[in-house]
Short mmCIF file of all heavy atoms in Angstrom, two decimals:
data_model
loop_
_atom_site.label_atom_id
_atom_site.label_comp_id
_atom_site.label_asym_id
_atom_site.label_seq_id
_atom_site.Cartn_x
_atom_site.Cartn_y
_atom_site.Cartn_z
N GLU K 417 12.05 -4.19 54.95
CA GLU K 417 12.83 -4.99 54.03
C GLU K 417 14.19 -4.33 53.77
O GLU K 417 14.34 -3.19 53.47
CB GLU K 417 12.14 -5.19 52.71
CG GLU K 417 12.78 -6.24 51.86
CD GLU K 417 11.97 -6.45 50.60
OE1 GLU K 417 11.89 -5.54 49.79
OE2 GLU K 417 11.40 -7.56 50.42
N GLY K 418 15.24 -5.15 53.87
CA GLY K 418 16.53 -4.65 53.57
C GLY K 418 17.21 -3.86 54.64
O GLY K 418 18.30 -3.36 54.47
N LYS K 419 16.53 -3.66 55.77
CA LYS K 419 17.13 -2.84 56.88
C LYS K 419 17.87 -3.79 57.82
O LYS K 419 17.34 -4.81 58.28
CB LYS K 419 16.02 -2.11 57.66
CG LYS K 419 15.10 -1.25 56.74
CD LYS K 419 15.85 -0.07 56.22
CE LYS K 419 14.93 0.78 55.38
NZ LYS K 419 15.58 1.91 54.76
N ASN K 420 19.11 -3.47 58.19
CA ASN K 420 19.83 -4.25 59.13
C ASN K 420 19.65 -3.73 60.56
O ASN K 420 20.46 -3.03 61.12
CB ASN K 420 21.36 -4.17 58.78
CG ASN K 420 22.20 -5.10 59.63
OD1 ASN K 420 21.70 -6.03 60.24
ND2 ASN K 420 23.49 -4.84 59.64
N LEU K 421 18.46 -4.07 61.10
CA LEU K 421 18.04 -3.51 62.38
C LEU K 421 18.13 -4.62 63.41
O LEU K 421 17.99 -5.78 63.14
CB LEU K 421 16.62 -3.03 62.32
CG LEU K 421 16.32 -1.91 61.26
CD1 LEU K 421 14.84 -1.63 61.23
CD2 LEU K 421 17.11 -0.67 61.61
N GLN K 422 18.31 -4.19 64.67
CA GLN K 422 18.26 -5.13 65.79
C GLN K 422 16.83 -5.65 65.99
O GLN K 422 15.87 -5.02 65.63
CB GLN K 422 18.75 -4.47 67.06
CG GLN K 422 20.18 -3.99 67.05
CD GLN K 422 21.14 -5.16 66.95
OE1 GLN K 422 20.89 -6.25 67.51
NE2 GLN K 422 22.22 -4.98 66.24
N GLU K 423 16.72 -6.86 66.54
CA GLU K 423 15.41 -7.50 66.70
C GLU K 423 14.45 -6.61 67.46
O GLU K 423 13.27 -6.52 67.17
CB GLU K 423 15.57 -8.81 67.42
CG GLU K 423 14.31 -9.68 67.44
CD GLU K 423 13.87 -10.17 66.07
OE1 GLU K 423 14.79 -10.35 65.21
OE2 GLU K 423 12.68 -10.32 65.87
N GLU K 424 14.99 -5.94 68.51
CA GLU K 424 14.09 -5.12 69.33
C GLU K 424 13.52 -3.94 68.50
O GLU K 424 12.35 -3.57 68.71
CB GLU K 424 14.86 -4.53 70.53
CG GLU K 424 15.28 -5.57 71.54
CD GLU K 424 16.57 -6.29 71.08
OE1 GLU K 424 17.16 -5.88 70.08
OE2 GLU K 424 16.97 -7.24 71.76
N VAL K 425 14.33 -3.36 67.62
CA VAL K 425 13.89 -2.23 66.79
C VAL K 425 12.78 -2.72 65.83
O VAL K 425 11.78 -2.07 65.63
CB VAL K 425 15.06 -1.62 66.05
CG1 VAL K 425 14.54 -0.47 65.15
CG2 VAL K 425 16.10 -1.10 67.05
N ILE K 426 13.01 -3.88 65.19
CA ILE K 426 12.01 -4.41 64.27
C ILE K 426 10.71 -4.68 65.02
O ILE K 426 9.63 -4.33 64.53
CB ILE K 426 12.51 -5.73 63.66
CG1 ILE K 426 13.76 -5.46 62.80
CG2 ILE K 426 11.41 -6.40 62.86
CD1 ILE K 426 14.41 -6.71 62.23
N LYS K 427 10.79 -5.26 66.19
CA LYS K 427 9.59 -5.51 66.95
C LYS K 427 8.85 -4.22 67.30
O LYS K 427 7.64 -4.15 67.24
CB LYS K 427 9.97 -6.29 68.24
CG LYS K 427 8.73 -6.75 69.05
CD LYS K 427 9.18 -7.63 70.22
CE LYS K 427 7.96 -8.06 70.99
NZ LYS K 427 8.35 -8.89 72.20
N PHE K 428 9.66 -3.21 67.69
CA PHE K 428 9.06 -1.91 68.07
C PHE K 428 8.31 -1.33 66.84
O PHE K 428 7.17 -0.85 66.96
CB PHE K 428 10.11 -0.95 68.54
CG PHE K 428 9.70 0.48 68.58
CD1 PHE K 428 8.88 0.90 69.67
CD2 PHE K 428 10.06 1.37 67.64
CE1 PHE K 428 8.47 2.20 69.75
CE2 PHE K 428 9.63 2.73 67.68
CZ PHE K 428 8.84 3.13 68.75
N LEU K 429 8.95 -1.38 65.66
CA LEU K 429 8.29 -0.84 64.45
C LEU K 429 7.03 -1.57 64.09
O LEU K 429 6.03 -0.96 63.73
CB LEU K 429 9.26 -0.85 63.30
CG LEU K 429 10.42 0.18 63.29
CD1 LEU K 429 11.35 -0.08 62.13
CD2 LEU K 429 9.87 1.61 63.24
N GLU K 430 7.06 -2.90 64.20
CA GLU K 430 5.89 -3.69 63.92
C GLU K 430 4.73 -3.35 64.87
O GLU K 430 3.59 -3.20 64.50
CB GLU K 430 6.20 -5.18 64.00
CG GLU K 430 7.07 -5.66 62.83
CD GLU K 430 7.46 -7.11 62.94
OE1 GLU K 430 7.38 -7.65 64.13
OE2 GLU K 430 7.81 -7.74 61.97
N ASN K 431 5.11 -3.23 66.17
CA ASN K 431 4.04 -2.82 67.14
C ASN K 431 3.49 -1.47 66.86
O ASN K 431 2.33 -1.18 67.04
CB ASN K 431 4.63 -2.92 68.53
CG ASN K 431 4.91 -4.34 68.99
OD1 ASN K 431 4.25 -5.26 68.50
ND2 ASN K 431 5.84 -4.53 69.91
N LEU K 432 4.40 -0.56 66.49
CA LEU K 432 4.02 0.79 66.18
C LEU K 432 3.01 0.82 64.98
O LEU K 432 1.99 1.48 65.04
CB LEU K 432 5.19 1.69 65.86
CG LEU K 432 4.91 3.12 65.43
CD1 LEU K 432 4.24 3.88 66.54
CD2 LEU K 432 6.20 3.80 65.02
N ILE K 433 3.35 0.11 63.95
CA ILE K 433 2.44 0.05 62.76
C ILE K 433 1.11 -0.58 63.17
O ILE K 433 0.02 -0.12 62.77
CB ILE K 433 3.08 -0.79 61.65
CG1 ILE K 433 4.33 -0.02 61.14
CG2 ILE K 433 2.13 -1.02 60.49
CD1 ILE K 433 5.24 -0.89 60.24
N ARG K 434 1.17 -1.68 63.96
CA ARG K 434 -0.08 -2.36 64.36
C ARG K 434 -0.94 -1.40 65.18
O ARG K 434 -2.16 -1.29 65.05
CB ARG K 434 0.26 -3.58 65.18
CG ARG K 434 -0.93 -4.49 65.43
CD ARG K 434 -0.49 -5.75 66.21
NE ARG K 434 0.48 -6.55 65.47
CZ ARG K 434 1.75 -6.68 65.82
NH1 ARG K 434 2.21 -6.12 66.96
NH2 ARG K 434 2.57 -7.38 65.08
N ALA K 435 -0.29 -0.66 66.08
CA ALA K 435 -1.05 0.30 66.89
C ALA K 435 -1.63 1.39 66.05
O ALA K 435 -2.79 1.80 66.26
CB ALA K 435 -0.16 0.86 67.96
N THR K 436 -0.83 1.87 65.08
CA THR K 436 -1.33 2.94 64.19
C THR K 436 -2.52 2.43 63.40
O THR K 436 -3.52 3.14 63.23
CB THR K 436 -0.22 3.37 63.22
OG1 THR K 436 0.90 3.78 63.98
CG2 THR K 436 -0.71 4.46 62.29
N ASN K 437 -2.46 1.19 62.92
CA ASN K 437 -3.55 0.62 62.18
C ASN K 437 -4.84 0.51 62.92
O ASN K 437 -5.95 0.61 62.40
CB ASN K 437 -3.20 -0.77 61.68
CG ASN K 437 -2.11 -0.73 60.62
OD1 ASN K 437 -1.83 0.31 60.05
ND2 ASN K 437 -1.49 -1.88 60.33
N SER K 438 -4.74 0.23 64.23
CA SER K 438 -5.94 -0.02 65.03
C SER K 438 -6.51 1.18 65.79
O SER K 438 -7.64 1.56 65.55
CB SER K 438 -5.64 -1.14 66.05
OG SER K 438 -4.54 -0.76 66.86
N THR K 439 -5.69 1.82 66.59
CA THR K 439 -6.31 2.85 67.45
C THR K 439 -5.60 4.18 67.44
O THR K 439 -6.22 5.19 67.56
CB THR K 439 -6.34 2.32 68.91
OG1 THR K 439 -5.04 1.99 69.32
CG2 THR K 439 -7.26 1.11 69.04
N ILE K 440 -4.23 4.19 67.39
CA ILE K 440 -3.53 5.40 67.58
C ILE K 440 -3.59 6.28 66.37
O ILE K 440 -3.23 5.88 65.31
CB ILE K 440 -2.02 5.13 67.91
CG1 ILE K 440 -1.95 4.34 69.24
CG2 ILE K 440 -1.24 6.38 68.03
CD1 ILE K 440 -0.53 3.94 69.58
N LYS K 441 -4.05 7.49 66.58
CA LYS K 441 -4.06 8.50 65.53
C LYS K 441 -3.43 9.76 66.09
O LYS K 441 -4.03 10.38 67.02
CB LYS K 441 -5.49 8.81 65.04
CG LYS K 441 -6.13 7.59 64.36
CD LYS K 441 -7.53 7.94 63.92
CE LYS K 441 -8.23 6.77 63.27
NZ LYS K 441 -9.53 7.08 62.78
N LEU K 442 -2.30 10.12 65.64
CA LEU K 442 -1.64 11.32 66.19
C LEU K 442 -2.47 12.56 65.89
O LEU K 442 -3.03 12.68 64.83
CB LEU K 442 -0.26 11.48 65.55
CG LEU K 442 0.80 10.39 65.94
CD1 LEU K 442 2.04 10.62 65.12
CD2 LEU K 442 1.07 10.40 67.41
N PRO K 443 -2.56 13.44 66.91
CA PRO K 443 -3.36 14.63 66.70
C PRO K 443 -2.85 15.46 65.49
O PRO K 443 -1.64 15.56 65.26
CB PRO K 443 -3.14 15.46 68.01
CG PRO K 443 -2.70 14.43 69.00
CD PRO K 443 -1.97 13.38 68.25
N GLU K 444 -3.79 15.96 64.77
CA GLU K 444 -3.47 16.67 63.54
C GLU K 444 -2.48 17.84 63.80
O GLU K 444 -1.52 18.03 63.09
CB GLU K 444 -4.74 17.16 62.90
CG GLU K 444 -4.50 17.93 61.60
CD GLU K 444 -5.82 18.39 60.98
OE1 GLU K 444 -6.86 18.18 61.58
OE2 GLU K 444 -5.70 18.93 59.87
N LYS K 445 -2.76 18.60 64.85
CA LYS K 445 -1.94 19.80 65.17
C LYS K 445 -0.50 19.37 65.46
O LYS K 445 0.47 20.07 65.13
CB LYS K 445 -2.53 20.55 66.33
CG LYS K 445 -3.92 21.13 66.07
CD LYS K 445 -3.89 22.15 64.93
CE LYS K 445 -5.23 22.74 64.65
NZ LYS K 445 -5.21 23.64 63.50
N PHE K 446 -0.35 18.21 66.12
CA PHE K 446 1.01 17.73 66.49
C PHE K 446 1.79 17.36 65.21
O PHE K 446 2.96 17.74 65.08
CB PHE K 446 0.94 16.52 67.39
CG PHE K 446 2.26 15.92 67.74
CD1 PHE K 446 3.11 16.59 68.64
CD2 PHE K 446 2.69 14.78 67.17
CE1 PHE K 446 4.35 16.06 68.94
CE2 PHE K 446 3.90 14.23 67.47
CZ PHE K 446 4.75 14.89 68.35
N LEU K 447 1.14 16.65 64.28
CA LEU K 447 1.79 16.32 63.03
C LEU K 447 2.17 17.57 62.21
O LEU K 447 3.27 17.66 61.68
CB LEU K 447 0.87 15.46 62.16
CG LEU K 447 0.68 14.00 62.65
CD1 LEU K 447 -0.33 13.28 61.83
CD2 LEU K 447 2.03 13.25 62.65
N ILE K 448 1.28 18.54 62.21
CA ILE K 448 1.57 19.79 61.50
C ILE K 448 2.77 20.49 62.13
O ILE K 448 3.68 20.97 61.44
CB ILE K 448 0.31 20.72 61.54
CG1 ILE K 448 -0.82 20.10 60.68
CG2 ILE K 448 0.66 22.08 61.00
CD1 ILE K 448 -2.09 20.82 60.83
N LEU K 449 2.84 20.49 63.48
CA LEU K 449 3.91 21.11 64.21
C LEU K 449 5.25 20.40 63.85
O LEU K 449 6.25 21.10 63.64
CB LEU K 449 3.65 21.09 65.71
CG LEU K 449 4.77 21.63 66.62
CD1 LEU K 449 5.10 23.10 66.30
CD2 LEU K 449 4.44 21.43 68.06
N VAL K 450 5.23 19.07 63.90
CA VAL K 450 6.44 18.31 63.57
C VAL K 450 6.98 18.65 62.21
O VAL K 450 8.16 18.88 61.97
CB VAL K 450 6.21 16.81 63.77
CG1 VAL K 450 7.41 15.98 63.18
CG2 VAL K 450 5.99 16.48 65.18
N ASN K 451 6.04 18.63 61.26
CA ASN K 451 6.44 18.96 59.83
C ASN K 451 7.03 20.36 59.70
O ASN K 451 8.01 20.56 58.99
CB ASN K 451 5.22 18.79 58.88
CG ASN K 451 4.85 17.34 58.80
OD1 ASN K 451 5.69 16.45 58.91
ND2 ASN K 451 3.56 17.06 58.56
N LYS K 452 6.41 21.34 60.40
CA LYS K 452 6.92 22.69 60.35
C LYS K 452 8.30 22.79 60.99
O LYS K 452 9.22 23.55 60.52
CB LYS K 452 5.94 23.64 61.04
CG LYS K 452 4.68 23.92 60.16
CD LYS K 452 3.80 24.98 60.80
CE LYS K 452 2.64 25.34 59.91
NZ LYS K 452 3.08 26.06 58.71
N LEU K 453 8.50 22.06 62.12
CA LEU K 453 9.81 22.10 62.79
C LEU K 453 10.90 21.54 61.88
O LEU K 453 11.96 22.10 61.76
CB LEU K 453 9.72 21.28 64.06
CG LEU K 453 9.00 21.97 65.27
CD1 LEU K 453 8.78 20.97 66.39
CD2 LEU K 453 9.80 23.18 65.78
N LEU K 454 10.58 20.44 61.20
CA LEU K 454 11.53 19.79 60.30
C LEU K 454 11.89 20.71 59.10
O LEU K 454 12.99 20.74 58.62
CB LEU K 454 10.99 18.49 59.75
CG LEU K 454 10.90 17.35 60.81
CD1 LEU K 454 10.18 16.15 60.20
CD2 LEU K 454 12.30 16.92 61.26
N ALA K 455 10.88 21.49 58.68
CA ALA K 455 11.10 22.37 57.54
C ALA K 455 11.71 23.69 57.91
O ALA K 455 12.11 24.51 57.06
CB ALA K 455 9.79 22.64 56.79
#
Side-chain angles (χ1 to χ4, degrees):
E417 192 177 65
K419 306 291 183 184
N420 186 17
L421 302 174
Q422 296 296 325
E423 189 67 29
E424 293 81 6
V425 177
I426 296 175
K427 186 175 180 181
F428 168 76
L429 287 175
E430 289 177 339
N431 290 336
L432 176 62
I433 295 168
R434 191 177 299 112
T436 303
N437 291 345
S438 56
T439 57
I440 297 177
K441 295 181 181 180
L442 292 174
E444 181 179 3
K445 296 298 182 184
F446 178 74
L447 287 175
I448 293 172
L449 175 61
V450 170
N451 289 330
K452 284 185 177 292
L453 285 169
L454 289 173

